[in-house]
Amino acid sequence: MALIKCPECSNDVSDKASSCPKCGYPIQSAIPLQTPDLKLLVTQCLLRDGKIAAIKLYRDQTGAPLMESKQYVERLESTLPPGAMPKSSRRGCFALLVFGALLVSIGVVYLVWSF
């Protein structure tokens, strides 16, 4: 038995349940089968939002364990052409380095002026 999220209220519900005990949403019809549509959806999420979001999407849609979801997304990723995945953003590191250098220079100035 796996727990899935109710599409209506996001309550944890058994994948064997016929409806959500909280809101009554029919669950059996809401459980997506692994179809090419799911593969397309996960691939689009992988390209748009990255690997972690794609793993989460696959896991939420199928109720699969984390490791199985990760392996599925990595298999999809390996079929993509080189350069299809967006480059990771390193924004924020430069600002952190500048702030650190500023703190160090203030500390050095303080030490020089205090003697």
Side-chain angles (χ1 to χ4, degrees):
M1 177 188 91
L3 291 178
I4 60 171
K5 295 284 185 190
C6 172
E8 188 69 26
C9 67
S10 297
N11 186 38
D12 287 333
V13 181
S14 166
D15 62 346
K16 306 291 185 213
S18 60
S19 64
C20 175
K22 183 176 178 183
C23 70
Y25 188 85
I27 297 297
Q28 288 299 327
S29 63
I31 297 176
L33 300 174
Q34 187 166 345
T35 62
D37 294 335
L38 178 61
K39 182 178 179 181
L40 178 64
L41 188 65
V42 173
T43 303
Q44 289 173 343
C45 182
L46 178 64
L47 292 171
R48 183 184 60 242
D49 303 323
K51 192 180 217 175
I52 293 173
I55 292 169
K56 182 178 182 330
L57 175 68
Y58 181 79
R59 192 169 181 209
D60 289 346
Q61 292 293 313
T62 63
L66 180 61
M67 183 56 86
E68 181 182 320
S69 302
K70 179 179 179 281
Q71 290 170 346
Y72 178 82
V73 170
E74 286 177 344
R75 279 194 306 270
L76 274 181
E77 186 179 28
S78 69
T79 63
L80 296 175
M85 289 293 297
K87 301 287 184 205
S88 64
S89 172
R90 294 191 176 152
R91 287 179 284 161
C93 293
F94 180 73
L96 185 62
L97 288 173
V98 169
F99 182 70
L102 181 65
L103 285 177
V104 169
S105 62
I106 290 172
V108 168
V109 168
Y110 177 76
L111 285 174
V112 168
W113 282 74
S114 65
F115 288 113

